Structures are given as structure tokens and as C-alpha cells.
């Protein structure tokens, strides 16, 4: 049964008219097409090179019927080129990396989950080379995008910049998929005037994603408005999102400020369809290393480290006079370096 939409008849066959869009803002490195509206697996049609415009295929939305079961049906997304997509290379915007590694044989799990929910991958967007911070003038092998929010020459900022710039530039895109290690999601959303979600570490698998720093890497997405956020959240996160309310740290002296925080938590519970879990930072603090941290309350530690640590200051004397091991002071107070050192010493 044909969906109610425009069609063309040629050579005794029925065709769907699909639009071809030029990437005028130079945000993409690879574009894809669908074999048909029934087969959502992306097939590479063009690989971008310096000085060559990438063209992305845009299947009209009228061929895809959304429902409660398939809220992402026909949603167009672009993906930062650190995610594996079967049949294409992950380049990290670096020619040496592109030439060294072979074509990906399977999708990253996070991309596969979007495709299984009938989202359409239209293109891969450029990251900063090797996902290391580059400003506009530092991009050599692949040019930086032309930021539609400025005069085309204002930096888009951060390694997910091209995903964000594409979303801002092209109204036919619905979502942009990126990542965040040291601000590649948060800073970009601010600079480019869009909304983004950066979840807690471990919520999503980073398998099939070229990692910058696994302890801090998280996957994120961008959109121009909040209306459709729950649709992608449900498909991507499932029931893994929870809201944690830390106790013993947030300021509670101000009744007005406390009410603002509580109101935000209630809104978060409603948006995510979850219930808050209260977490005691003091208990978590002690659980890291009871022998060390029972001697210093977390509130005292935080208070001391907000004061200037210039030589001879009160804080400098206080920290020096504590019974904390030297390795603990040097690693920022988590005791991890000390335990690793002890383990390696015992092993030797």
C-alpha cells in the first residue's frame, strides 16, 4: 500500500521524489541514501574532499508515518564522524587515520538503536581532527564549518561543531548526534543557540565510537527545540535515565533557591518519566577510602579548596597539616593514586 504522498511515474515505474541538498556550510564528510523507504540502512553515496561540496539526500517526511510505537519514523539525523556506520570509514577528520583503517563492518550500538527505531541517517559530520580541540584557523585537512549563527566566519567551537552547525543551517534536519568530553556538547549548544542533552557517564555504550578519554566521554544529541526531545530520549536511553538528588552539598540556606532546585527536579522527573534517587555525597566520599576520608568531612574539603592556595595562605597551612597521604593530596583527594601505588608495590 502506497503512503498518501506525491509520486512520479516514469518508464512504467512509480518513483518517490527525493530532494538533494548541497552542504553549503561545509559541515559534512560523508552522505548517505536509503535503498528505499522500507530499507533504512544507510548507504554511502559521497565522500567529501577539500574543495568539493557534499550533497545529502532528503526523503520527504510525508512517506513516513509516525506513531506511538515509532516516534522516530522518518526523522532525519546527522552523526559526528566518530561513530561507526557499517559500509563506511570513520575518519576522525584526519587523512592518515582514514587511510590506515578499513571500512566499518557494523554500526555502533547507539546508531543501530536509532536505525531500529526507523530514524534516517543522512550524513556524517566533521569533528575536529582526532577529536582534539581546533579553532577555525587551525583546521588544515578538512575545513571548519561556516557558522550560520555568525557571519559565516565565527567559530562554531568544539569537536562536535559540525553536527551543531549542520542542525542550525538546515531546517530539513531534525537531530544531530555528537559527544561530550570536555565541553563538545555543552559549549556548542550555547555558542550555536540550540538545545542539547549530556547524560551521565555509562548511560550509553561507547562501543563503536572512537573515544577521546573514556572516563569522561559521553554521547549527546542536539535539537533546535525541546518538543521532540522525549522521542529520541526514549529510543536512545530506554529506562536507563534516572534523576539523582545529591544531599549535603547543594545550598539550602536560601528558601527561594531550594525551591527552584526542587522545582527543577520535579520537572526532570516528569520529563524523563522517572523518580529521583537521593544520594549522600558524604557517604560516597567516605566509601572511597574510609581510613582516609573519615578524618576530613567532604564539606570541609570543598570549603578549603575554594580558598586561595597561594603559598603561605591559611588553606595551604591547613592542607599541609592534615594527615592525608602525599599521593592523595597530589591526585586531588580521591585516594586512587595511593591505592594503585600500593597495589603495584605489593605486586613487585
Amino acid at each position: 500500500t502506497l503512503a498518501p504522498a506525491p509520486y512520479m511515474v516514469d518508464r512504467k515505474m512509480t518513483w518517490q521524489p527525493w530532494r538533494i541538498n548541497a552542504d553549503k556550510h561545509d559541515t559534512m564528510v560523508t552522505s548517505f541514501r536509503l535503498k528505499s523507504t522500507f530499507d533504512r540502512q544507510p548507504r554511502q553515496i559521497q565522500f567529501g574532499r577539500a574543495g568539493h561540496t557534499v550533497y545529502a539526500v532528503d526523503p520527504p517526511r510525508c512517506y513516513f508515518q509516525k506513531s506511538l510505537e515509532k516516534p522516530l519514523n522518518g526523522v532525519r539525523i546527522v552523526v559526528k564522524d566518530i561513530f561507526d556506520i557499517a559500509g563506511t570509514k570513520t575518519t576522525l577528520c584526519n587523512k592518515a587515520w582514514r587511510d590506515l583503517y578499513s571500512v566499518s563492518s557494523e554500526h555502533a550500538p547507539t546508531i543501530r538503536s536509532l536505525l531500529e527505531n526507523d530514524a534516517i541517517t543522512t550524513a556524517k559530520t566533521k569533528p575536529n581532527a582526532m577529536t582534539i580541540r581546533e579553532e577555525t584557523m587551525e583546521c588544515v585537512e578538512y575545513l571548519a564549518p561556516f557558522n550560520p549563527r555568525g557571519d559565516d566566519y565565527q567559530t562554531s567551537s568544539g569537536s562536535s561543531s559540525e553536527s551543531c552547525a549542520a542542525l542550525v543551517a538546515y531546517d530539513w534536519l531534525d537531530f544531530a548526534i555528537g559527544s561530550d568530553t570536555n565541553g563538545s556538547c555543552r559549549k556548542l549548544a550555547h555558542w550555536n543557540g540550540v538545545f542539547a542533552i549530556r547524560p551521565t557517564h555509562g548511560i550509553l555504550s561507547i562501543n563503536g565510537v572512537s573515544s577521546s578519554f573514556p572516563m569522561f566521554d559521553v554521547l549527546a544529541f542536539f535539537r533546535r527545540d525541546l518538543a521532540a526531545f522525549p522521542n529520541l530520549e526514549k529510543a536512545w536511553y530506554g529506562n536507563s535515565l534516572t534523576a539523582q538528588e545529591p544531599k549535603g552539598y547543594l545550598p539550602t540556606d536560601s528558601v527561594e533557591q531550594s525551591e527552584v532546585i526542587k522545582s527543577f527536579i520535579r520537572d526532570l522527573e516528569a520529563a524523563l518519566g522517572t523518580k529521583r534517587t537521593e544520594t549522600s555525597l558524604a557517604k560516597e566520599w567516605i566509601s572511597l577510602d574510609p581510613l582516609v576520608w573519615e578524618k576530613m568531612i567532604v564539606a570541609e574539603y570543598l570549603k578549603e579548596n575554594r580558598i586561595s592556595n597561594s603559598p603561605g595562605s591559611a588553606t595551604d597551612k591547613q592542607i599541609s597539616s592534615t594527615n592525608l597521604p602525599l599521593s592523595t593530596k597530589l591526585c586531588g583527594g580521591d585516594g586512587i593514586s595511593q591505592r594503585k601505588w600500593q597495589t603495584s608495590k605489593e605486586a613487585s
Side-chain angles (χ1 to χ4, degrees):
T1 303
L2 294 177
Y7 295 90
M8 298 175 60
V9 177
D10 181 45
R11 289 169 288 175
K12 298 182 180 181
M13 297 182 67
T14 302
W15 305 83
Q16 297 176 353
W18 290 7
R19 184 171 57 185
I20 298 177
N21 301 288
D23 178 26
K24 296 180 180 179
H25 286 268
D26 213 8
T27 64
M28 301 172 184
V29 67
T30 302
S31 58
F32 302 99
R33 69 169 179 85
L34 304 181
K35 184 176 181 180
S36 70
T37 54
F38 305 103
D39 184 350
R40 306 299 173 85
Q41 296 303 313
R43 287 165 170 76
Q44 181 174 311
I45 58 174
Q46 187 180 12
F47 189 86
R49 302 193 309 274
H52 292 257
T53 300
V54 173
Y55 291 86
V57 176
D58 169 20
R61 291 183 174 89
C62 55
Y63 297 109
F64 307 94
Q65 303 298 316
K66 291 186 175 63
S67 64
L68 293 176
E69 293 75 23
K70 294 185 176 182
L72 295 183
N73 190 18
V75 166
R76 278 80 63 92
I77 63 174
V78 288
V79 178
K80 182 178 180 179
D81 192 21
I82 62 172
F83 292 79
D84 286 347
I85 293 181
T88 188
K89 286 191 174 186
T90 300
T91 72
L92 303 190
C93 245
N94 179 274
K95 290 182 178 180
W97 186 279
R98 179 198 66 192
D99 296 340
L100 180 62
Y101 291 96
S102 58
V103 170
S104 301
S105 59
E106 59 184 6
H107 302 309
T110 44
I111 300 302
R112 185 170 61 247
S113 69
L114 294 177
L115 296 176
E116 289 172 351
N117 281 275
D118 290 333
I120 299 173
T121 303
T122 60
K124 272 190 168 186
T125 55
K126 306 172 187 174
N128 286 168
M130 304 299 290
T131 66
I132 298 173
R133 179 179 175 83
E134 284 183 315
E135 290 299 340
T136 302
M137 293 183 295
E138 298 172 329
C139 299
V140 177
E141 296 183 336
Y142 293 87
L143 293 178
F146 292 92
N147 186 353
R149 290 297 194 201
D151 59 356
D152 277 356
Y153 293 95
Q154 176 177 308
T155 177
S156 293
S157 176
S159 73
S160 296
S161 56
E162 286 78 349
S163 294
C164 215
L167 183 67
V168 174
Y170 309 128
D171 58 5
W172 52 270
L173 283 176
D174 297 304
F175 286 97
I177 306 300
S179 64
D180 190 300
T181 301
N182 192 32
S184 295
C185 157
R186 293 159 289 167
K187 187 177 179 182
L188 268 65
H190 173 65
W191 279 48
N192 292 277
V194 298
F195 296 95
I197 281 191
R198 180 192 189 277
T200 302
H201 299 97
I203 292 293
L204 292 172
S205 167
I206 60 172
N207 292 335
V209 180
S210 297
S211 178
S212 176
F213 190 60
M215 290 182 66
F216 291 99
D217 291 339
V218 294
L219 310 183
F221 67 86
F222 306 89
R223 185 172 165 84
R224 289 180 295 272
D225 61 75
L226 294 172
F229 260 49
N231 295 337
L232 197 144
E233 288 170 7
K234 184 177 180 180
W236 226 13
Y237 304 131
N239 297 320
S240 59
L241 278 187
T242 59
Q244 291 194 343
E245 181 183 6
K247 294 293 186 180
Y249 174 68
L250 292 176
T252 55
D253 293 340
S254 169
V255 176
E256 293 81 4
Q257 189 172 10
S258 296
E259 184 52 39
V260 169
I261 295 170
K262 291 177 181 178
S263 176
F264 171 76
I265 294 174
R266 289 194 295 268
D267 290 344
L268 191 63
E269 287 179 316
L272 300 179
T274 187
K275 292 293 183 182
R276 78 189 76 177
T277 301
E278 293 186 356
T279 302
S280 170
L281 293 184
K283 291 181 180 179
E284 292 292 330
W285 172 269
I286 293 174
S287 68
L288 289 173
D289 195 331
L291 295 178
V292 173
W293 300 121
E294 284 180 348
K295 299 176 182 179
M296 175 172 275
I297 301 173
V298 62
E300 295 177 355
Y301 180 83
L302 293 173
K303 182 178 179 180
E304 286 184 358
N305 283 273
R306 289 194 191 103
I307 304 173
S308 171
N309 284 329
S310 58
S313 68
T315 301
D316 187 59
K317 294 176 182 177
Q318 289 170 351
I319 293 179
S320 299
S321 64
T322 62
N323 294 322
L324 301 181
L326 177 61
S327 60
T328 303
K329 297 178 199 173
L330 295 177
C331 70
D334 60 6
I336 295 174
S337 298
Q338 180 199 13
R339 289 196 293 275
K340 287 183 177 179
W341 180 81
Q342 289 176 338
T343 303
S344 61
K345 183 178 179 181
E346 291 169 1
S348 61

